[in-house]
Structures are given as C-alpha cells and as structure tokens.
Amino acid sequence: MRTLLSFLPALSLSALALTACSGGETLPKEIVVGEYGSLTGAEATFGMSTKNGIDLATEELNAKGGIGGVPVRLVVEDDQGKPEEAATAVSKILSRDRPVAVLGEVASTNSLAAAPLLQTNGVPMISPSSTNPKVTEQGDFIFRVCFIDPFQGTAGAKFAYTTKGLRNVGILKDVKSDYSTGLAQYFTETFTKLGGVIAGEEAYSKGDVDFKAQLTGLIAKNPDALFIPGYYTDVGLIARQARELGFKGPFLGGDGWDSAELTKIGADAIMGSFFTNHYAVDDPNPVVQGFITKYEAKYHEKPDGLAALGYDSAQVLYAAMAEVAKDPKMAEALADRSAIPATEEGRKAARAALRDAIAKTAGFAGVTGNITIDAARNAQKPAVVVEVTAEGNKFVESIAP
Ligand code: PHE
C-alpha cells in the first residue's frame, strides 16, 4: 500500500483513501498542520505570500505520497495582522484541530502573542520570518527558519556606512512593533560603532497615516538618509510624505518592506531606496530560480521573500516529520484517522519527537539559503541588500552572518 501510494499524485491518494473509507475497511489518515497569518489587513501580502509558499510545499509533499503515504492537511486561520487575533487564531486551531505543529506568524509582534500558547501546549511552532530575538526565547518548542534582527540591523548599518558612505541617518520607527523598535536599536548600535551619527529618531504607531510632524522634525536635522524599519503600507506613505516635504536622500529599511505593494503605495518616492532581505528574486542560484519557476507556474507572479520563507518553513517541518515517522509508532501518533484522532498521549509524544527533529535541522538547502537550527532555535543565514527599482527589487550585495 505504502509503495503504491508513493507513486500516486495527491488526488489519487485522497480518492483511494475515500474508497477505502466507503468500503468500511479503514478511515483516511491525515497529518494536521496549523497555520496562522495576516490574510487580510494592512499586512495582507505577508500572510498571503507565506500561505502560497506553504501551499506549494505541501502540494509537492502530498504529490510524493505525503509522510509515508499519509497526506498533510493544512488548517489556516486569518489573524488580520493583529496580535490579539493571532492568539485567538492559534487557540482555535489548537482546540479544534489538534495539530502536530503550527506554522506562522510573519510579524514578530503577532508571533510573540501566540507563541506562549504553543509552548504551553507542547506544540512545535516554526515562524518562517519573524526576526525579533524574543520570538524563539518564548520556549523550546518555538523555532524560526530566518535570521534575527541583531544581525539584520548590523547588516543594514554596514551597508549604509561602508557601501553607501552615509554618515548621518535619521530614524522613523513604529512603536507598536517589536520588530521595528528592535531593528532601530540594532541598526543604531552598529552604525554608531562604525562612526556614524543618528541625526534624530522619531516614532509612529502602525496604522497612522500622517507622518508629517515627525518627518519635518527629522528633515530639519539634515540627514543623508532615513532608516525606516516598518512594514510596507506605512513605509510607502512615509516615503511619499518625506518627498513632499522636500527630502531628497535615500530611504533605507529592512525585510518589512518586502511586498509588491510597496512600490504601488510609494511609487516614485520609494525608487532608489534599499532594504535588507532574506532573498533576491534575481539570485542566479539554481535552487532559487527553480523555486521561482514552480511558483510562477502556479500563481502567475514572482514570489517575494515571504513566499520563499513560507516554502522553506514547511519544507523544514516536513523533513523533520519524515525523520520522526521512521519510527512506526511515531508515524501512527502523528496522524489522525479521519474523525478519530490519535490518542492524546501519542500525540504529545509525536509533538515532542517533532520538536527534537526540528532542533536537529542542519544544512537544509532552502530557497532562502542553508538552514541550520542553532541552540537558540534560530537560523544563521546571510542577508541580501536589494534596491527598489521600477523593474522590481535588484540584488545589490550579500552580507554574511
Ligand atoms: N521580519 C519581520 C518581523 O519580524 C517580518 C517580515 C519578514 C516581513 C520578511 C517581511 C518579510 O516582524
């Protein structure tokens, strides 16, 4: 049965399972994985792109027979990009679907809101893209497949100071975002250590639409550039307003800029700006280009970094599952048989084994680079700097950890 199934595509697999079910012999088995993210709201492209990447990886896995013949079923909840909703989404998934693991979130503040629930319940979580250090500090069940902001901030500061020769930078950060305040701090630490000066620092709150007061204050201090560690919707508006106020220098940012919406909102104002990111769409690496080809065939658009990280997070999880399922008892415990879930005790053991297997991830060839999970459950990977242009984001340089 297992050998036969591994040759069949996903559709035939479920068709077979259903036949077996209606024949009254066995009920279909499935492995349930949860996913929470911003499918709507001001950060909707974060959740949507991530979901696309995760869906692609899951489809590929199930087409190859899933985990030992058992398909993975994703249950997805929208949290609208809000921390309270992130916690609600995760409790819903936990009580309703009893997943063996959960993928998400993108925004660090949302991951921080839900991670304690997963830790307490002993359910492994892999964030594809939350970069604030506190996320994985929530406990030994919480992982990520991306680098963290002390590194991203350092990379951005080195690029600003050394590559661009900037000496005097103003900062506008989002005080509602752990990501933004953290990245502002790490950028400042390295930039000033290198000899640069922070001309001024101002704050806003996610969702604000008028940034003129803060920008007027910053521009009066004559900075060479503005560092804006925020998310794309706010950044696009900030760039436009800064240009309206006469600011001519470049804008710099972090991975939170990564959305096709950035240039739609920021338009001409944001062109020629630079940001640090996890992946560059024009990276000639065959692993990257192979992923882009598959992604474009399915979604008819180029994947952003979130899509690539979503894909990688699911791949890392499925590789760990395959390891765990080598033990037939564990394979049984990972899967639910239709309406009859695995026993609570078995499920607990499977989640713990999965946690251990994720922790052992080493040298996994991801689209966003080689993934090795370190002792703090983070991945150490290079960052890229890209330039925002009318033809899309262009690779500028890679910065090693
Ligand atoms: N790193 C951001 C955070 O922690 C989220 C993000 C990652 C946004 C990648 C865009 C691209 O909040």
PDB file of all heavy atoms in Angstrom, residues 59 114 134 258 276 310 332 357 365 371 395:
ATOM      1  N   GLU A  59       1.656  20.794  -1.353  1.00  0.00           N
ATOM      2  CA  GLU A  59       1.197  20.124  -2.572  1.00  0.00           C
ATOM      3  C   GLU A  59       2.286  19.182  -3.103  1.00  0.00           C
ATOM      4  O   GLU A  59       2.003  18.038  -3.484  1.00  0.00           O
ATOM      5  CB  GLU A  59       0.942  21.216  -3.604  1.00  0.00           C
ATOM      6  CG  GLU A  59      -0.235  20.991  -4.508  1.00  0.00           C
ATOM      7  CD  GLU A  59      -0.414  22.217  -5.390  1.00  0.00           C
ATOM      8  OE1 GLU A  59       0.276  22.341  -6.420  1.00  0.00           O
ATOM      9  OE2 GLU A  59      -1.235  23.067  -5.003  1.00  0.00           O
ATOM     10  N   ALA A 114       1.225  34.663  20.104  1.00  0.00           N
ATOM     11  CA  ALA A 114       0.714  33.289  20.031  1.00  0.00           C
ATOM     12  C   ALA A 114       1.696  32.230  20.525  1.00  0.00           C
ATOM     13  O   ALA A 114       1.282  31.150  20.967  1.00  0.00           O
ATOM     14  CB  ALA A 114       0.306  32.979  18.589  1.00  0.00           C
ATOM     15  N   LYS A 134      13.193  37.982  20.590  1.00  0.00           N
ATOM     16  CA  LYS A 134      12.328  37.476  21.675  1.00  0.00           C
ATOM     17  C   LYS A 134      11.437  36.302  21.235  1.00  0.00           C
ATOM     18  O   LYS A 134      10.981  35.531  22.075  1.00  0.00           O
ATOM     19  CB  LYS A 134      11.420  38.606  22.195  1.00  0.00           C
ATOM     20  CG  LYS A 134      12.141  39.647  23.024  1.00  0.00           C
ATOM     21  CD  LYS A 134      11.183  40.729  23.538  1.00  0.00           C
ATOM     22  CE  LYS A 134      10.695  41.625  22.433  1.00  0.00           C
ATOM     23  NZ  LYS A 134       9.877  42.776  22.838  1.00  0.00           N
ATOM     24  N   ASP A 258       9.233  44.177   2.228  1.00  0.00           N
ATOM     25  CA  ASP A 258       9.136  43.199   1.140  1.00  0.00           C
ATOM     26  C   ASP A 258       7.693  42.895   0.744  1.00  0.00           C
ATOM     27  O   ASP A 258       7.057  42.003   1.305  1.00  0.00           O
ATOM     28  CB  ASP A 258       9.855  41.909   1.551  1.00  0.00           C
ATOM     29  CG  ASP A 258      10.001  40.944   0.387  1.00  0.00           C
ATOM     30  OD1 ASP A 258       9.719  41.351  -0.757  1.00  0.00           O
ATOM     31  OD2 ASP A 258      10.395  39.796   0.624  1.00  0.00           O
ATOM     32  N   THR A 276      17.325  45.523   3.488  1.00  0.00           N
ATOM     33  CA  THR A 276      17.890  44.192   3.739  1.00  0.00           C
ATOM     34  C   THR A 276      16.765  43.168   3.650  1.00  0.00           C
ATOM     35  O   THR A 276      15.632  43.438   4.044  1.00  0.00           O
ATOM     36  CB  THR A 276      18.525  44.118   5.148  1.00  0.00           C
ATOM     37  OG1 THR A 276      17.645  44.745   6.093  1.00  0.00           O
ATOM     38  CG2 THR A 276      19.870  44.820   5.191  1.00  0.00           C
ATOM     39  N   GLY A 310       8.057  30.971   3.573  1.00  0.00           N
ATOM     40  CA  GLY A 310       6.935  30.083   3.882  1.00  0.00           C
ATOM     41  C   GLY A 310       7.226  28.689   3.351  1.00  0.00           C
ATOM     42  O   GLY A 310       7.047  27.683   4.051  1.00  0.00           O
ATOM     43  N   GLU A 332       2.320   6.551  13.504  1.00  0.00           N
ATOM     44  CA  GLU A 332       0.924   6.347  13.907  1.00  0.00           C
ATOM     45  C   GLU A 332       0.439   7.539  14.746  1.00  0.00           C
ATOM     46  O   GLU A 332      -0.667   8.050  14.559  1.00  0.00           O
ATOM     47  CB  GLU A 332       0.843   5.040  14.712  1.00  0.00           C
ATOM     48  CG  GLU A 332      -0.547   4.505  14.939  1.00  0.00           C
ATOM     49  CD  GLU A 332      -1.281   4.155  13.639  1.00  0.00           C
ATOM     50  OE1 GLU A 332      -0.633   3.729  12.664  1.00  0.00           O
ATOM     51  OE2 GLU A 332      -2.508   4.345  13.634  1.00  0.00           O
ATOM     52  N   ALA A 357      13.351  16.723  16.341  1.00  0.00           N
ATOM     53  CA  ALA A 357      13.816  16.580  14.953  1.00  0.00           C
ATOM     54  C   ALA A 357      14.020  17.957  14.295  1.00  0.00           C
ATOM     55  O   ALA A 357      14.980  18.156  13.551  1.00  0.00           O
ATOM     56  CB  ALA A 357      12.828  15.745  14.144  1.00  0.00           C
ATOM     57  N   ALA A 365      19.062  22.681   2.464  1.00  0.00           N
ATOM     58  CA  ALA A 365      19.213  23.601   1.321  1.00  0.00           C
ATOM     59  C   ALA A 365      17.888  24.292   1.018  1.00  0.00           C
ATOM     60  O   ALA A 365      17.097  23.809   0.212  1.00  0.00           O
ATOM     61  CB  ALA A 365      19.725  22.855   0.099  1.00  0.00           C
ATOM     62  N   ILE A 371      19.838  26.168   5.873  1.00  0.00           N
ATOM     63  CA  ILE A 371      19.208  26.346   7.169  1.00  0.00           C
ATOM     64  C   ILE A 371      19.770  25.349   8.177  1.00  0.00           C
ATOM     65  O   ILE A 371      19.632  24.137   8.013  1.00  0.00           O
ATOM     66  CB  ILE A 371      17.677  26.198   7.056  1.00  0.00           C
ATOM     67  CG1 ILE A 371      17.124  27.282   6.109  1.00  0.00           C
ATOM     68  CG2 ILE A 371      17.007  26.281   8.434  1.00  0.00           C
ATOM     69  CD1 ILE A 371      15.684  27.089   5.700  1.00  0.00           C
ATOM     70  N   PHE A 395      19.157  42.859  -6.726  1.00  0.00           N
ATOM     71  CA  PHE A 395      20.207  42.435  -5.804  1.00  0.00           C
ATOM     72  C   PHE A 395      21.367  43.425  -5.826  1.00  0.00           C
ATOM     73  O   PHE A 395      21.834  43.813  -6.886  1.00  0.00           O
ATOM     74  CB  PHE A 395      20.702  41.041  -6.213  1.00  0.00           C
ATOM     75  CG  PHE A 395      21.884  40.555  -5.433  1.00  0.00           C
ATOM     76  CD1 PHE A 395      21.724  39.909  -4.214  1.00  0.00           C
ATOM     77  CD2 PHE A 395      23.174  40.749  -5.918  1.00  0.00           C
ATOM     78  CE1 PHE A 395      22.834  39.467  -3.497  1.00  0.00           C
ATOM     79  CE2 PHE A 395      24.290  40.306  -5.195  1.00  0.00           C
ATOM     80  CZ  PHE A 395      24.108  39.662  -3.985  1.00  0.00           C
TER      81      PHE A 395
END
